[in-house]
Amino acid sequence: MLDLTGKVAVVIGAASGIGRAIAISLAAQGATVDCGDIDTAGVEETAATIVAAGGTAKATTTDVRLSADVDTLLTGVAAEHGRLDIAVGTPGINIRKPLIDYTDDEYTAVTDVNLRGSFNVLRGAGRIMAVQGSGSIIVISSISSRAVEPGQVIYAGTKAALAQMVRVFGAELGPMGVRVNAIAPGPVETALTVPIRSSSAWADAYSEKVALRRWAKPAEIAGPAVFLASDAASYVNGEVLFVDGGWVDLDANFADEKAVETDTDASA
């Protein structure tokens, strides 16, 4: 059910990290993958890696913030292959600082990639797939859509908004045979998290928040993406799949335990 032979996929954000891992994994399951990213050298390397492994892939320089770039890539792929079965959008940035210290330019930088970029992928792929009557769209949310961490107000806001966009858009496109879902990763070893992982104290602190007591590899996020893209997830729509090693559940359980302790103390 995970076989993607004959499927046509676009992965925007494929130059590195989670996007690169997803592109390679989709191709390994048989999909033809068009890789898009603003990083030309990186996305060409990803496509070359896929081809060297026996897969089929192309690379296109694409700025996810520009709807014209995204639409050109998606419609071009659909025109070339006669269909678009899978569309994945992974780009994301974060500027960690208290909200009161944020500048207008920093706010725009984060929201343009995380929110506008994902909107461009959702809308562009949705328009194509709604007409053809099938398809799977996947974007990347985050545990920050639910977990609270100071210094993450804008990033968390974009990821929470994206989670709700997926739920609503899934409801809109579901009757047309199109599925829309998001993956919410926990801490992953990518370029985005280098500032945290460069400090062993910070890296260890994040590991301790995870039930599995470690960071994820990008490939561990790619597996769930393959699932959501495949027929194995044919009845999964409008969902946010948390792939966080148990971070959010552990947070919730801790909060519940503290609440019980407080109630007990109060009743005594």
Side-chain angles (χ1 to χ4, degrees):
M1 294 178 71
L2 296 173
D3 181 27
L4 299 176
T5 301
K7 300 291 187 181
V8 176
V10 170
V11 180
I12 299 178
S16 62
I18 292 172
R20 184 175 193 272
I22 290 175
I24 291 172
S25 294
L26 292 176
Q29 294 300 318
T32 295
V33 183
D34 279 72
C35 306
D37 202 293
I38 196 171
D39 178 358
T40 301
V43 77
E44 288 178 348
E45 181 182 351
T46 299
T49 298
I50 291 171
V51 172
T56 304
K58 291 198 314 184
T60 304
T61 302
T62 308
D63 187 341
V64 76
R65 298 169 298 182
L66 303 178
S67 61
D69 268 25
V70 174
D71 288 343
T72 297
L73 174 58
L74 294 172
T75 57
V77 170
E80 178 182 357
H81 297 281
R83 61 186 303 100
L84 175 65
D85 300 299
I86 303 159
V88 184
T90 70
I93 67 169
N94 190 10
I95 299 175
R96 295 169 177 270
K97 58 167 50 179
L99 178 65
I100 59 175
D101 295 332
Y102 247 81
T103 67
D104 290 352
D105 288 344
E106 289 169 337
Y107 171 83
T108 299
V110 175
T111 56
D112 266 6
V113 174
N114 298 4
L115 205 51
R116 183 187 296 276
S118 296
F119 161 76
N120 288 336
V121 174
L122 289 166
R123 183 182 64 178
R127 284 173 170 171
I128 295 169
M129 293 177 179
V131 173
Q132 72 184 22
S134 65
S136 173
I137 307 173
I138 304 163
V139 291
I140 303 297
S141 180
S142 168
I143 58 169
S144 294
S145 64
R146 285 177 55 183
V148 174
E149 183 180 354
Q152 297 269 60
V153 174
I154 305 305
Y155 179 80
T158 62
K159 294 303 185 176
L162 186 53
Q164 190 65 1
M165 287 168 65
V166 161
R167 296 183 183 104
V168 178
F169 200 36
E172 291 180 356
L173 293 187
M176 303 168 194
V178 181
R179 299 183 294 107
V180 186
N181 295 288
I183 296 172
V188 185
E189 295 178 353
T190 66
L192 185 66
T193 59
V194 167
I196 299 172
R197 291 185 290 115
S198 61
S199 164
S200 58
W202 272 105
D204 291 345
Y206 272 68
S207 294
E208 287 299 312
K209 295 281 287 183
V210 180
L212 294 179
R213 294 297 190 267
R214 64 177 178 83
W215 288 63
K217 303 290 186 183
E220 294 179 293
I221 311 302
V226 169
F227 163 70
L228 290 175
S230 73
D231 289 342
S234 59
Y235 206 59
V236 181
N237 182 40
E239 293 296 332
V240 179
L241 176 58
F242 282 81
V243 186
D244 62 356
W247 177 311
V248 170
D249 287 340
L250 204 59
D251 265 0
N253 290 336
F254 177 75
D256 289 343
E257 289 170 6
K258 295 301 291 183
V260 170
E261 291 174 6
T262 301
D263 289 345
T264 302
D265 292 343
S267 63

